[in-house]
Amino acid sequence: MDDRIKELRKITHQICNDLSGVRTLVEMYTSGLRPELDSNRLLSGLDKLGNSVNELRDCLSRDH
């Protein structure tokens, strides 16, 4: 169980990092620091977030 908790913490940390990256891009755009939203970077960040959430879901649904 201890290994599973470590894995869940790692995945949760990655989700926080993914969200932070996407949020930073959006904040830079909305504050005017970046006149154009880099959609490729934003989509890449959202894809990373989606992958991390899927990894979390898979980890939680595994048999003990």
Side-chain angles (χ1 to χ4, degrees):
M1 185 67 156
D2 200 31
D3 289 338
R4 187 167 188 218
I5 291 172
K6 287 179 184 177
E7 184 178 2
L8 289 169
R9 286 182 178 169
K10 178 184 165 207
I11 296 168
T12 303
H13 182 72
Q14 184 60 48
I15 289 172
C16 290
N17 286 343
D18 296 341
L19 279 171
S20 178
V22 169
R23 183 178 139 210
T24 298
L25 284 173
V26 172
E27 283 179 346
M28 287 173 60
Y29 172 72
T30 57
S31 69
L33 293 174
R34 287 195 156 216
E36 294 181 10
L37 185 59
D38 186 348
S39 60
N40 288 331
R41 286 185 68 192
L42 183 61
L43 290 174
S44 175
L46 291 172
D47 284 343
K48 285 181 183 179
L49 178 61
N51 291 338
S52 296
V53 169
N54 287 336
E55 189 177 348
L56 178 63
R57 184 184 64 224
D58 292 345
C59 185
L60 289 172
S61 66
R62 271 190 247 140
D63 289 335
H64 305 275

